[in-house]
């Protein structure tokens, strides 16, 4: 009698993509959310006793989970706690995540506060992709002054704009009728690239190129 062996690989569950929250991080998120409904003193205690004891990776994951849940009130406090840690180093991409979520929830005063934090960070890395993401959020929510200031700030720290930077700003400003500001950026873009045909490119065209 011939015995056939089953292919066990067909029964294996697919590998999980990305990293899930640790038990400690989940408990911290739950504790912060419970404490937030009991008043400032309870929240302060939870921040110290639960969140403050987490490892670096877990602290950042708690912040991202709170952002995912649009708990901006808690995310801001958690971020301020993270800034006090000895290992903290500013990341433009993390700021970009916060700007997007906070602006999406209409918390524009908090967006301005976070931008002030970004402006006063020490030794921030000139991360072009991160800054372009920030510019995109500011333009999407018609935060013209912040977008313009961010453009000059990134240049101050040695992060030179690329075609995407100019495309986001110029096309966005012109769509809002900000012709004067757009004209100045067109002049600067011409100094960098000469031809401005790239302004007509769409995101899909860029991905396909």
């Amino acid at each position: 009698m011939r015995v056939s062996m089953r292919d066990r690989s067909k029964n294996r569950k697919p590998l999980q993509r990305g990293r899930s929250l640790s038990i400690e991080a989940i408990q911290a998120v739950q504790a912060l959310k419970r404490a937030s409904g009991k008043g400032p003193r309870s929240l302060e205690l939870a921040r110290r006793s639960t969140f403050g004891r987490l490892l670096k990776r877990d602290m950042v994951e708690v912040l991202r989970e709170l952002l995912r849940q649009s708990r901006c009130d808690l995310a801001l406090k958690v971020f301020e706690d993270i800034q006090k840690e000895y290992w903290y180093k500013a990341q433009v991409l993390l700021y970009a995540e916060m700007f997007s979520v906070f602006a999406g929830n209409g918390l524009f005063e908090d967006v301005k506060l976070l931008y002030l934090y970004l402006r006063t960070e020490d030794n921030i890395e000139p991360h072009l992709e991160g800054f372009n993401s920030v510019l995109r959020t500011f333009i999407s929510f018609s935060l013209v002054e912040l977008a313009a200031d961010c453009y000059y700030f990134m240049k101050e720290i040695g992060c030179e704009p690329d075609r995407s930077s100019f495309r986001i700003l110029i096309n966005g400003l012109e769509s809002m009728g900000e012709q004067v500001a757009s004209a100045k950026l067109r002049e600067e873009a011409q100094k960098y690239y000469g031809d401005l045909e790239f302004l007509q490119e769409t995101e899909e065209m860029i991905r396909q190129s």
Side-chain angles (χ1 to χ4, degrees):
M1 181 175 67
R2 184 177 179 181
V3 179
S4 60
M5 301 296 292
R6 294 178 61 186
D7 185 355
R8 293 180 181 271
S9 64
K10 294 181 180 179
N11 296 326
R12 291 174 184 166
K13 295 181 180 180
L15 293 175
Q16 186 176 7
R17 294 184 179 180
R19 297 191 64 169
S20 58
L21 290 174
S22 68
I23 294 176
E24 292 79 10
I26 293 172
Q27 291 174 340
V29 170
Q30 293 173 340
L32 290 168
K33 290 169 66 175
R34 284 196 301 268
S36 67
K38 298 179 181 179
R41 292 187 64 182
S42 294
L43 181 56
E44 180 66 22
L45 180 61
R47 288 164 66 185
R48 291 181 181 179
S49 63
T50 306
F51 179 74
R53 296 179 180 178
L54 294 177
L55 299 174
K56 170 184 175 180
R57 181 183 65 83
D58 286 334
M59 283 188 170
V60 176
E61 289 304 315
V62 166
L63 171 59
R64 287 201 161 102
E65 178 62 18
L66 291 171
L67 289 172
R68 189 187 68 81
Q69 296 183 23
S70 291
R71 287 303 306 263
C72 299
D73 55 333
L74 295 177
L76 181 58
K77 293 184 182 300
V78 161
F79 177 64
E80 290 171 341
D81 287 341
I82 289 176
Q83 285 182 304
K84 299 172 185 175
E85 294 293 324
Y86 73 92
W87 46 260
Y88 172 74
K89 186 175 182 180
Q91 296 181 13
V92 182
L93 278 174
L94 182 57
Y95 267 102
E97 287 182 50
M98 292 190 288
F99 287 138
S100 178
V101 174
F102 278 63
N105 283 276
L107 301 173
F108 299 115
E109 290 303 314
D110 286 335
V111 170
K112 293 177 182 178
L113 176 62
L114 283 170
Y115 181 67
L116 179 61
Y117 288 168
L118 174 62
R119 261 298 210 156
T120 54
E121 292 281 11
D122 294 326
N123 302 318
I124 190 166
E125 292 185 2
H127 195 289
L128 182 58
E129 180 185 349
F131 274 111
N132 282 345
S133 182
V134 172
L135 292 174
R136 190 175 291 108
T137 294
F138 288 167
I139 288 295
S140 296
F141 289 93
S142 301
L143 300 172
V144 176
E145 291 184 5
L146 290 185
D149 190 87
C150 186
Y151 167 75
Y152 290 108
F153 172 59
M154 59 189 283
K155 292 182 67 177
E156 285 175 16
I157 64 171
C159 186
E160 293 298 323
D162 65 355
R163 287 181 173 83
S164 291
S165 310
F166 285 116
R167 188 184 305 107
I168 293 165
L169 286 167
I170 294 172
N171 292 345
L173 290 170
E174 290 180 353
S175 70
M176 290 183 279
E178 299 285 344
Q179 302 300 332
V180 175
S182 174
K184 292 180 180 178
L185 286 172
R186 278 181 173 271
E187 290 179 6
E188 293 201 27
Q190 283 182 318
K191 293 177 182 177
Y192 277 87
Y193 299 108
D195 190 351
L196 298 183
E197 287 186 3
F198 67 87
L199 293 177
Q200 307 304 318
E201 297 176 354
T202 64
E203 294 293 332
E204 184 177 353
M205 291 169 61
I206 296 167
R207 287 194 295 268
Q208 292 176 350
S209 62

